[in-house]
PDB file of all heavy atoms in Angstrom:
ATOM      1  N   LEU B 289      -5.660   9.025  45.180  1.00 92.00           N
ATOM      2  CA  LEU B 289      -7.108   8.844  45.191  1.00 92.00           C
ATOM      3  C   LEU B 289      -7.564   8.166  46.433  1.00 92.00           C
ATOM      4  O   LEU B 289      -8.624   8.479  46.990  1.00 92.00           O
ATOM      5  CB  LEU B 289      -7.515   8.021  43.921  1.00 92.00           C
ATOM      6  CG  LEU B 289      -7.318   8.644  42.575  1.00 92.00           C
ATOM      7  CD1 LEU B 289      -7.981   7.834  41.517  1.00 92.00           C
ATOM      8  CD2 LEU B 289      -7.881  10.058  42.563  1.00 92.00           C
ATOM      9  N   ALA B 290      -6.792   7.119  46.878  1.00 93.00           N
ATOM     10  CA  ALA B 290      -7.178   6.403  48.090  1.00 93.00           C
ATOM     11  C   ALA B 290      -7.232   7.311  49.270  1.00 93.00           C
ATOM     12  O   ALA B 290      -8.131   7.319  50.127  1.00 93.00           O
ATOM     13  CB  ALA B 290      -6.226   5.260  48.376  1.00 93.00           C
ATOM     14  N   CYS B 291      -6.203   8.219  49.380  1.00 93.00           N
ATOM     15  CA  CYS B 291      -6.093   9.212  50.410  1.00 93.00           C
ATOM     16  C   CYS B 291      -7.317  10.089  50.431  1.00 93.00           C
ATOM     17  O   CYS B 291      -8.002  10.305  51.450  1.00 93.00           O
ATOM     18  CB  CYS B 291      -4.882  10.088  50.208  1.00 93.00           C
ATOM     19  SG  CYS B 291      -3.708  10.007  51.474  1.00 93.00           S
ATOM     20  N   ALA B 292      -7.636  10.623  49.189  1.00 93.00           N
ATOM     21  CA  ALA B 292      -8.784  11.483  49.072  1.00 93.00           C
ATOM     22  C   ALA B 292     -10.057  10.774  49.471  1.00 93.00           C
ATOM     23  O   ALA B 292     -10.896  11.331  50.157  1.00 93.00           O
ATOM     24  CB  ALA B 292      -8.927  11.954  47.609  1.00 93.00           C
ATOM     25  N   ALA B 293     -10.147   9.500  49.083  1.00 94.00           N
ATOM     26  CA  ALA B 293     -11.388   8.742  49.406  1.00 94.00           C
ATOM     27  C   ALA B 293     -11.521   8.619  50.935  1.00 94.00           C
ATOM     28  O   ALA B 293     -12.619   8.829  51.462  1.00 94.00           O
ATOM     29  CB  ALA B 293     -11.306   7.343  48.772  1.00 94.00           C
ATOM     30  N   MET B 294     -10.400   8.238  51.602  1.00 94.00           N
ATOM     31  CA  MET B 294     -10.517   8.027  53.052  1.00 94.00           C
ATOM     32  C   MET B 294     -10.884   9.315  53.748  1.00 94.00           C
ATOM     33  O   MET B 294     -11.740   9.349  54.625  1.00 94.00           O
ATOM     34  CB  MET B 294      -9.201   7.466  53.576  1.00 94.00           C
ATOM     35  CG  MET B 294      -8.974   6.022  53.108  1.00 94.00           C
ATOM     36  SD  MET B 294      -7.469   5.357  53.787  1.00 94.00           S
ATOM     37  CE  MET B 294      -6.177   6.304  53.038  1.00 94.00           C
ATOM     38  N   ILE B 295     -10.224  10.443  53.377  1.00 94.00           N
ATOM     39  CA  ILE B 295     -10.436  11.688  54.097  1.00 94.00           C
ATOM     40  C   ILE B 295     -11.861  12.197  53.764  1.00 94.00           C
ATOM     41  O   ILE B 295     -12.653  12.430  54.655  1.00 94.00           O
ATOM     42  CB  ILE B 295      -9.380  12.723  53.708  1.00 94.00           C
ATOM     43  CG1 ILE B 295      -8.000  12.266  54.199  1.00 94.00           C
ATOM     44  CG2 ILE B 295      -9.754  14.084  54.288  1.00 94.00           C
ATOM     45  CD1 ILE B 295      -6.871  13.054  53.728  1.00 94.00           C
ATOM     46  N   TYR B 296     -12.145  12.305  52.466  1.00 94.00           N
ATOM     47  CA  TYR B 296     -13.402  12.910  52.000  1.00 94.00           C
ATOM     48  C   TYR B 296     -14.615  12.065  52.499  1.00 94.00           C
ATOM     49  O   TYR B 296     -15.543  12.589  53.106  1.00 94.00           O
ATOM     50  CB  TYR B 296     -13.402  13.060  50.541  1.00 94.00           C
ATOM     51  CG  TYR B 296     -14.630  13.675  49.995  1.00 94.00           C
ATOM     52  CD1 TYR B 296     -14.760  15.079  49.956  1.00 94.00           C
ATOM     53  CD2 TYR B 296     -15.727  12.904  49.568  1.00 94.00           C
ATOM     54  CE1 TYR B 296     -15.875  15.681  49.467  1.00 94.00           C
ATOM     55  CE2 TYR B 296     -16.882  13.520  49.084  1.00 94.00           C
ATOM     56  CZ  TYR B 296     -16.936  14.901  49.045  1.00 94.00           C
ATOM     57  OH  TYR B 296     -18.094  15.483  48.565  1.00 94.00           O
ATOM     58  N   GLY B 297     -14.543  10.757  52.201  1.00 93.00           N
ATOM     59  CA  GLY B 297     -15.681   9.888  52.578  1.00 93.00           C
ATOM     60  C   GLY B 297     -15.970   9.961  54.086  1.00 93.00           C
ATOM     61  O   GLY B 297     -17.135  10.151  54.467  1.00 93.00           O
ATOM     62  N   ASN B 298     -14.940   9.831  54.878  1.00 93.00           N
ATOM     63  CA  ASN B 298     -15.173   9.792  56.325  1.00 93.00           C
ATOM     64  C   ASN B 298     -15.620  11.094  56.872  1.00 93.00           C
ATOM     65  O   ASN B 298     -16.457  11.181  57.758  1.00 93.00           O
ATOM     66  CB  ASN B 298     -13.906   9.312  57.073  1.00 93.00           C
ATOM     67  CG  ASN B 298     -13.730   7.827  56.966  1.00 93.00           C
ATOM     68  OD1 ASN B 298     -14.734   7.104  56.987  1.00 93.00           O
ATOM     69  ND2 ASN B 298     -12.499   7.366  56.831  1.00 93.00           N
ATOM     70  N   VAL B 299     -15.060  12.240  56.391  1.00 92.00           N
ATOM     71  CA  VAL B 299     -15.394  13.505  56.915  1.00 92.00           C
ATOM     72  C   VAL B 299     -16.845  13.897  56.518  1.00 92.00           C
ATOM     73  O   VAL B 299     -17.644  14.338  57.366  1.00 92.00           O
ATOM     74  CB  VAL B 299     -14.448  14.645  56.438  1.00 92.00           C
ATOM     75  CG1 VAL B 299     -14.966  16.016  56.806  1.00 92.00           C
ATOM     76  CG2 VAL B 299     -13.075  14.383  57.076  1.00 92.00           C
ATOM     77  N   VAL B 300     -17.186  13.638  55.266  1.00 93.00           N
ATOM     78  CA  VAL B 300     -18.558  14.019  54.813  1.00 93.00           C
ATOM     79  C   VAL B 300     -19.617  13.131  55.419  1.00 93.00           C
ATOM     80  O   VAL B 300     -20.698  13.555  55.731  1.00 93.00           O
ATOM     81  CB  VAL B 300     -18.609  14.073  53.279  1.00 93.00           C
ATOM     82  CG1 VAL B 300     -20.008  14.438  52.804  1.00 93.00           C
ATOM     83  CG2 VAL B 300     -17.634  15.066  52.742  1.00 93.00           C
ATOM     84  N   ALA B 301     -19.246  11.874  55.677  1.00 93.00           N
ATOM     85  CA  ALA B 301     -20.219  10.887  56.220  1.00 93.00           C
ATOM     86  C   ALA B 301     -20.691  11.411  57.607  1.00 93.00           C
ATOM     87  O   ALA B 301     -21.903  11.180  57.972  1.00 93.00           O
ATOM     88  CB  ALA B 301     -19.607   9.533  56.348  1.00 93.00           C
ATOM     89  N   ILE B 302     -19.874  12.118  58.340  1.00 91.00           N
ATOM     90  CA  ILE B 302     -20.259  12.569  59.694  1.00 91.00           C
ATOM     91  C   ILE B 302     -21.479  13.418  59.612  1.00 91.00           C
ATOM     92  O   ILE B 302     -22.343  13.380  60.504  1.00 91.00           O
ATOM     93  CB  ILE B 302     -19.067  13.320  60.325  1.00 91.00           C
ATOM     94  CG1 ILE B 302     -17.932  12.365  60.593  1.00 91.00           C
ATOM     95  CG2 ILE B 302     -19.499  14.010  61.593  1.00 91.00           C
ATOM     96  CD1 ILE B 302     -16.665  13.034  61.077  1.00 91.00           C
ATOM     97  N   ARG B 303     -21.614  14.247  58.539  1.00 90.00           N
ATOM     98  CA  ARG B 303     -22.690  15.218  58.559  1.00 90.00           C
ATOM     99  C   ARG B 303     -24.003  14.689  57.971  1.00 90.00           C
ATOM    100  O   ARG B 303     -24.962  15.443  57.835  1.00 90.00           O
ATOM    101  CB  ARG B 303     -22.243  16.463  57.736  1.00 90.00           C
ATOM    102  CG  ARG B 303     -21.059  17.143  58.412  1.00 90.00           C
ATOM    103  CD  ARG B 303     -20.583  18.330  57.601  1.00 90.00           C
ATOM    104  NE  ARG B 303     -21.706  19.083  57.092  1.00 90.00           N
ATOM    105  CZ  ARG B 303     -21.652  19.794  55.979  1.00 90.00           C
ATOM    106  NH1 ARG B 303     -20.590  19.798  55.279  1.00 90.00           N
ATOM    107  NH2 ARG B 303     -22.680  20.535  55.632  1.00 90.00           N
ATOM    108  N   GLN B 304     -24.097  13.413  57.558  1.00 91.00           N
ATOM    109  CA  GLN B 304     -25.263  12.959  56.902  1.00 91.00           C
ATOM    110  C   GLN B 304     -26.390  12.657  57.890  1.00 91.00           C
ATOM    111  O   GLN B 304     -26.132  12.209  58.995  1.00 91.00           O
ATOM    112  CB  GLN B 304     -24.952  11.659  56.093  1.00 91.00           C
ATOM    113  CG  GLN B 304     -23.886  11.838  55.079  1.00 91.00           C
ATOM    114  CD  GLN B 304     -24.235  12.936  54.080  1.00 91.00           C
ATOM    115  OE1 GLN B 304     -25.327  13.064  53.645  1.00 91.00           O
ATOM    116  NE2 GLN B 304     -23.231  13.768  53.806  1.00 91.00           N
ATOM    117  N   THR B 305     -27.603  12.883  57.457  1.00 91.00           N
ATOM    118  CA  THR B 305     -28.759  12.579  58.248  1.00 91.00           C
ATOM    119  C   THR B 305     -29.539  11.376  57.734  1.00 91.00           C
ATOM    120  O   THR B 305     -30.353  10.782  58.394  1.00 91.00           O
ATOM    121  CB  THR B 305     -29.748  13.742  58.415  1.00 91.00           C
ATOM    122  OG1 THR B 305     -30.074  14.135  57.098  1.00 91.00           O
ATOM    123  CG2 THR B 305     -29.086  14.911  59.147  1.00 91.00           C
ATOM    124  N   ASN B 306     -29.300  11.035  56.469  1.00 93.00           N
ATOM    125  CA  ASN B 306     -29.941   9.914  55.847  1.00 93.00           C
ATOM    126  C   ASN B 306     -28.979   8.700  55.900  1.00 93.00           C
ATOM    127  O   ASN B 306     -27.837   8.818  55.473  1.00 93.00           O
ATOM    128  CB  ASN B 306     -30.281  10.216  54.382  1.00 93.00           C
ATOM    129  CG  ASN B 306     -31.024   9.155  53.646  1.00 93.00           C
ATOM    130  OD1 ASN B 306     -30.560   7.968  53.689  1.00 93.00           O
ATOM    131  ND2 ASN B 306     -32.050   9.468  52.930  1.00 93.00           N
ATOM    132  N   ILE B 307     -29.441   7.605  56.358  1.00 93.00           N
ATOM    133  CA  ILE B 307     -28.500   6.493  56.636  1.00 93.00           C
ATOM    134  C   ILE B 307     -27.947   5.906  55.343  1.00 93.00           C
ATOM    135  O   ILE B 307     -26.807   5.459  55.306  1.00 93.00           O
ATOM    136  CB  ILE B 307     -29.167   5.389  57.523  1.00 93.00           C
ATOM    137  CG1 ILE B 307     -28.058   4.493  58.070  1.00 93.00           C
ATOM    138  CG2 ILE B 307     -30.215   4.615  56.771  1.00 93.00           C
ATOM    139  CD1 ILE B 307     -28.457   3.723  59.278  1.00 93.00           C
ATOM    140  N   LYS B 308     -28.769   5.945  54.256  1.00 94.00           N
ATOM    141  CA  LYS B 308     -28.254   5.424  52.976  1.00 94.00           C
ATOM    142  C   LYS B 308     -27.108   6.332  52.423  1.00 94.00           C
ATOM    143  O   LYS B 308     -26.112   5.812  51.905  1.00 94.00           O
ATOM    144  CB  LYS B 308     -29.352   5.293  51.967  1.00 94.00           C
ATOM    145  CG  LYS B 308     -30.096   3.950  52.061  1.00 94.00           C
ATOM    146  CD  LYS B 308     -31.442   3.993  51.466  1.00 94.00           C
ATOM    147  CE  LYS B 308     -31.476   3.619  50.022  1.00 94.00           C
ATOM    148  NZ  LYS B 308     -32.844   3.619  49.492  1.00 94.00           N
ATOM    149  N   ARG B 309     -27.268   7.660  52.628  1.00 94.00           N
ATOM    150  CA  ARG B 309     -26.221   8.539  52.155  1.00 94.00           C
ATOM    151  C   ARG B 309     -24.978   8.354  53.017  1.00 94.00           C
ATOM    152  O   ARG B 309     -23.855   8.343  52.534  1.00 94.00           O
ATOM    153  CB  ARG B 309     -26.695   9.999  52.266  1.00 94.00           C
ATOM    154  CG  ARG B 309     -27.668  10.413  51.222  1.00 94.00           C
ATOM    155  CD  ARG B 309     -27.914  11.898  51.295  1.00 94.00           C
ATOM    156  NE  ARG B 309     -26.897  12.654  50.613  1.00 94.00           N
ATOM    157  CZ  ARG B 309     -26.875  12.936  49.301  1.00 94.00           C
ATOM    158  NH1 ARG B 309     -27.905  12.470  48.562  1.00 94.00           N
ATOM    159  NH2 ARG B 309     -25.901  13.599  48.751  1.00 94.00           N
TER     160      ARG B 309
END
Side-chain angles (χ1 to χ4, degrees):
Chain B
L289 292 189
C291 241
M294 291 183 292
I295 295 170
Y296 182 85
N298 281 325
V299 170
V300 179
I302 293 175
R303 297 179 42 209
Q304 301 305 316
T305 54
N306 181 313
I307 195 158
K308 272 159 91 177
R309 287 188 81 86

